[in-house]
Amino acid sequence: MAAIIPITMPKFGLAMTEGKVASWARPEGAAIDVGDEIADIETTKITNAYESPVKGLLRRHVAAEQEDLPVGALIAVVADAEVPDGEIDAFVARFQSEFSATHDTEAAEAPPEPAMIEAGGRRLRYLETGAAQDGRPIVLVHGFGGDLNNWMFNQPALAERHRVVALDLPGHGGSLKEVGSGDIASLSGALLDFLDAMHIPRAHLVGHSLGAAVALRTALDKPTHVASLTLIAPAGLGEEIDTGFTTDFIAASRRRQFQPVLEKLFADRSLVSRDMAEDLLRTRRLDGAQAALAAVGEANFGGGRQRLVLRERLDELQGIPMQVIWGAGDAIIPASQAEGLPDFVRVSVLAGAGHMPQMEKAAEVNRLILELAQG
Amino acid sequence: MSRKSYRQAINEALRQEMRRDPTVVVIGEDVAGGAGAPGEEDAWGGVLGVTKGLVGEFGRERVLDTPLSESAYIGAAAGAAATGLRPVAELMFVDFLGVCFDQIFNQAAKFRYMFGGGARTPLVIRAMYGAGFRAASQHSQCLYPIFTHIPGLKVVLPSSAYEAKGLLIQAIRDDDPVIFLENKVQYDEEEEVPDETYTIPFGEANLTREGRDLTIVAFGRMVGIANAAADRLLRQGISCTVLDPRTTSPLDVATILECVEETGRLVIVDEASPRCNMATDVSALVAQEAFGALKAPIRMVCPPHVPVPFAPNLEDLYVPNADRIEAAVRAVMGYKRAGSKVGERA
């Protein structure tokens, strides 16, 4: 029995409504495997490689390069070699007519909007999706200088199976006030207050970079609150960090200054779009943003190294399912810090990713998070 | 973050700064409106509604309607600024600057300098400028080159709603006299504007897009029109940088020169009347500082040297548009040395 599999325009992040195939990475007729990059998808926010969700033969490029298409539109067809072209033509025609019929009637559902919550005397911004799902919530904690949008390629996918909550740490995003001392201990306190205010007694904590050190510290202080711990390119496992990067990141105030700094975060520099730099710049202009960022930077990385190292305490977490995910090409915190961790910690070092594997290798990271949450 | 119009962004900047700082006051003709007459107290909220709602929240001690005398109330605002308030005075149409200009250029602009730093003048003067509104010659001028010419004044030309809110908050917090110019045709243009307060520094140009072939410097409303022309040109294989200086004083000369060094070609789009406008100013600076980088003469896209017409068809010929910008870019791209004609006047 021959199966024809549609490949559709993916949704990167909750607000994306349309995108385009910037370029095809694999030609018609290519044999592709799950995870193979088959195209670069460009949106106004970012250009990202699209990894094939299926294994098979890439029979047809349906989308032309640079053609704007809505999320969910057909962009390619995978089918076995025996399937005649005529059948593929018919499949394409049927899919597209059904798509335009349903696409118009569904209209664009308003994407979930971030909200504010009072927690421990601070006002924090967060984004909740998948609220209807059962099971323990996944809580996403971004890193230094970031915000809940760092999880744009992860939150929608994870929300298919779990309630997912991403917060802005104090001093970041929409949580600009009350940064306090800004160090890992105080950020961890804010995270616990947030979980309390959200009525989340126990969660799968996923942290990135500084946010991973915060998640780690939270697990050490309150292990009963943590169902599992995923640390992505984590701070807190060694002193070494490229503080030249953090210094330049704090100092950048023009878009042309931002761009080379941001490029250091990724293995594939072309992922850094003008829009990405512009968004960061606009966040930086908000009253208090610059001072808050500088305070957090000084509290955690002042003196050219990571101030808080928690590596020796990992053994205390033996009962908690735990994993570390690192990009092999991480230029900010070296992936060598993933070596020599206790045996109970699962370690995945991803080739072709820099300091933001949750963006560059989103499908793989999502899979690893869900696996740990299941297991 | 939400979609706001240019008008709403300006209103929000005023409102949020007035909440933050009790010394910020708004003064002008009909900025509230309805004074002394029965009926709605906030009758006008400004002739195009920009200051609507402020008198309701802050009262008539902080939102002052004035008699029809620019020299009186602009002078009062200058004096109030030098003695502890942070007034945001509205010159309803920039065309009225003639009747109060001494208060601006000889008084407010010079207090700090002439009093040896003993006075500071944190005055903002907001005014509407620009043609296309069918308001005729005395209500459609730009005149920002005249302010730019005066040392001691800062001059701001926000090109969009996001820019307007950040630049106006910056202006209110600035301790020097700032002329803040709003293009009346843009009041209903919307874009995403943060709900929080934020500032955009003066003297820092914004590159709305970057290209290889040519730099377009555009002012105020012309930035959006230049972007539209650049879109068209890109489809024909010509990629342009579009530079919005944001402030004509201070002017981000460094970024302008950097872009000219990169592309080698310059077109300047300026709605202000062509003699001694910003296009002439930037052209001279570039010719002096980056002559060696230029692959072609600089081209200015400006109105003709005439009063703004009242007849709609003539007014439409007056204001620079995307077609004329496109033609100017092509002419510059097609320039060949020695023996070639430069072509029609833009």
Side-chain angles (χ1 to χ4, degrees), chain A residues 114-119 122-127 142 146-148 166-180 187 190 194 283 286-289 292-293 296, chain B residues 196:
Chain A
M116 304 295 294
I117 191 166
E118 296 283 335
R122 304 172 198 86
R123 261 171 76 75
L124 300 176
R125 189 180 71 148
Y126 70 98
L127 180 61
H142 66 78
D147 65 19
L148 52 82
L167 83 156
D168 285 337
L169 288 170
H172 294 80
S175 304
L176 280 178
K177 311 263 156 44
E178 286 96 40
V179 73
L187 295 174
F194 173 75
T283 309
L286 299 177
D287 277 346
L293 190 68
V296 175
Chain B
E196 306 92 322

Side-chain angles (χ1 to χ4, degrees), chain A residues 153-154 157-158 361-371:
Chain A
F153 299 129
N154 317 100
L158 298 173
K361 293 289 168 196
E364 180 66 7
V365 169
N366 293 341
R367 190 183 65 74
L368 289 166
I369 294 172
L370 288 170
E371 237 175 52

Side-chain angles (χ1 to χ4, degrees), chain B residues 8 56 107 143:
Chain B
Q8 287 169 322
Q107 308 308 322
L143 303 183

Side-chain angles (χ1 to χ4, degrees), chain A residues 236-301:
Chain A
L237 294 188
E239 276 199 356
E240 193 185 334
I241 183 169
D242 181 0
T243 51
F245 167 78
T246 52
T247 307
D248 289 346
F249 185 81
I250 295 170
S253 65
R254 309 283 304 261
R255 188 171 38 236
R256 284 188 161 191
Q257 291 166 358
F258 261 112
Q259 214 133 351
V261 177
L262 292 179
E263 285 173 1
K264 268 182 142 185
L265 289 169
F266 298 94
D268 179 0
R269 297 155 62 114
S270 70
L271 286 183
V272 178
S273 65
R274 294 188 89 240
D275 272 18
M276 185 191 281
E278 180 67 19
D279 277 356
L280 257 168
L281 189 55
R282 291 193 179 196
T283 309
R284 194 66 68 81
R285 290 194 187 116
L286 299 177
D287 277 346
Q290 186 71 28
L293 190 68
V296 175
E298 178 55 31
N300 294 294
F301 313 123

